Amino acid sequence: MAEDKYIYVLAAGSLRPVWPSLMAAFKTQSPATKIITAFGPAGLLRERIEQGEKCDLFASANRAHPQKLLLLGKALGVTIFTHNKLCLTLPAALAQRDWLSLLADPALRIGTSTPLSDPSGDYTWQLFDRIEKQHQGLGEDLKRRALKLVGGADSLPVPPGELAATWLLKTGQADIFIGYQSYASLMAARADFVTLPVPSPYQVRADYAFALCHHAAQPLGDFLCSAEAREIFLEAGFSHDKAVSGLRDDEL
């Protein structure tokens, strides 16, 4: 019998819902390989790797964190493997209003992830910058009003089995949450909350990239860039840009 191999993965929290399907598919290709995965905000995971935590593959919700590991000599390469977008989650009672008028309403509290620690927060700040270009003063106002509720070192932990957006709203911590589009499919059957897409030209593309930290994880990295994995990501609400996905750091 072939000896089991272990691959240690640190992965962005937004990958948690899709990860079981991905690993089940990978298991059919590499039945002797066991994947051990820990999830968390990508910026905080990167810091753990910098501090010496064992990691064979780091799957981040942005390119910046893996690229920093590459520059530090803690990664062998960086490759983009999928994409995401932003959306608003809000109570169904607010769904008849325009997305921008909702954000501009000073009576509504806007929850976000924490910039620098969590790429979702970074992408949200990019959204605010795009809003500022079209509506002077509004983007800067949103940065001041935004409540950084998840993804930070001191953020309250989201209870197991809960989505950050709906948990924050139903516990009264925010009235609107700006997060990833991939969560929209998980809330499709709910009557109490809805999601609103962010339209172009305001929308921000989130590039997910992995840092290959050990050669043993190369088969997993190859799988994450495969057509089979792409279909799993698309079904889970992620997006795909053929012009970018699968590109290594030296090709970007």
Side-chain angles (χ1 to χ4, degrees):
M1 176 180 289
E3 182 179 355
D4 286 344
K5 296 177 290 184
Y6 291 85
I7 295 176
Y8 295 89
V9 177
L10 293 181
S14 53
L15 291 169
R16 188 190 296 270
V18 72
W19 203 249
S21 297
L22 289 167
M23 294 305 97
F26 177 70
K27 186 72 173 177
T28 65
Q29 300 183 11
S30 301
T33 301
K34 295 186 181 299
I35 308 296
I36 299 175
T37 308
F39 297 94
L44 300 184
L45 295 179
R46 188 211 74 230
E47 291 177 357
R48 285 163 55 177
I49 298 170
E50 290 177 359
Q51 293 164 8
E53 183 167 338
K54 177 177 174 57
C55 177
D56 297 317
L57 185 141
F58 168 46
S60 173
N62 70 2
R63 287 163 42 190
H65 294 313
Q67 285 176 325
K68 184 174 182 184
L69 293 181
L70 184 64
L71 290 173
L72 293 173
K74 293 183 176 293
L76 303 172
V78 173
T79 305
I80 293 175
F81 63 94
T82 194
H83 310 276
N84 217 331
K85 294 180 180 179
L86 295 177
C87 72
L88 277 60
T89 300
L90 55 148
L94 296 176
Q96 300 305 313
R97 296 176 57 183
D98 175 74
W99 74 280
L100 195 57
S101 70
L102 288 167
L103 292 183
D105 188 341
L108 298 176
R109 297 164 299 160
I110 301 168
T112 73
S113 292
T114 305
L116 301 181
S117 296
D118 188 337
S120 177
D122 298 325
Y123 294 127
T124 300
W125 255 243
Q126 291 178 35
L127 168 63
F128 293 160
D129 287 337
R130 295 189 177 192
I131 291 174
E132 179 67 20
K133 288 182 180 179
Q134 300 290 330
H135 308 276
Q136 188 174 5
L138 178 55
E140 293 303 314
D141 180 59
L142 289 169
K143 290 180 182 180
R144 289 189 293 269
R145 289 171 46 213
L147 304 173
K148 307 176 190 68
L149 298 175
V150 294
D154 300 319
S155 298
L156 292 175
V158 178
E162 293 273 11
L163 293 177
T166 52
W167 175 67
L168 291 168
L169 268 57
K170 71 184 182 182
T171 55
Q173 300 179 61
D175 301 304
I176 299 172
F177 186 79
I178 302 175
Y180 288 125
Q181 170 185 272
S182 57
Y183 291 122
S185 61
L186 301 177
M187 294 186 286
R190 299 191 63 140
D192 48 350
F193 297 110
V194 298
T195 59
L196 294 180
V198 174
S200 298
Y202 303 95
Q203 184 59 264
V204 177
R205 187 185 70 192
D207 292 334
Y208 281 58
F210 65 79
L212 184 70
C213 301
H214 192 282
H215 288 296
Q218 185 65 63
L220 177 58
D222 292 342
F223 171 75
L224 291 175
C225 296
S226 69
E228 183 176 6
R230 180 169 66 247
E231 290 305 312
I232 294 172
F233 279 120
L234 289 173
E235 185 175 348
F238 290 78
S239 56
H240 185 68
D241 186 337
K242 292 182 179 179
V244 179
S245 296
L247 291 183
R248 301 186 306 274
D249 180 70
D250 58 2
E251 298 175 312
L252 297 172

